[in-house]
Amino acid sequence: RVVCACLQGIGGDDVPVLSFYQEAEPTYGPCGRAHLRERMLRAVALLGREEVEDIVKEQGHVEVTCEFCRECIQFYEEELEAALIAADK
């Protein structure tokens, strides 16, 4: 749609535009839950042990929301501990 509008704006009405430009929807990702969970857990581990432990002590878990798909995932102490150990290696 954007491509068509741009072409029309510069006098390109007669330029053929492939139909997938008109039908394409933007996608972000991979936002599949399995991939997303793994990436988010690694990101949380980068906060460091002290920060993660403070969050868990205060809230009981760490919650992360994907800015693209808005999926919200909660991580609990056991899973976070494993991620922190892996990050320390």
Side-chain angles (χ1 to χ4, degrees), residues 4-24:
C4 292
C6 290
L7 289 174
Q8 289 172 351
I10 60 172
D13 293 333
D14 59 339
V15 177
V17 177
L18 298 175
S19 64
F20 69 85
Y21 282 125
Q22 296 171 344
E23 298 171 10

Side-chain angles (χ1 to χ4, degrees), residues 43-77:
V44 169
L46 291 175
L47 293 172
R49 179 172 295 281
E50 186 177 335
E51 182 72 20
V52 171
E53 287 175 353
D54 287 347
I55 294 169
V56 171
K57 186 183 294 183
E58 183 180 308
Q59 299 177 14
H61 64 277
V62 175
E63 184 173 289
V64 182
T65 301
C66 176
E67 293 296 319
F68 295 112
C69 68
R70 309 305 296 158
E71 178 78 34
C72 183
I73 299 178
Q74 296 176 350
F75 300 99
Y76 292 90
E77 194 168 353

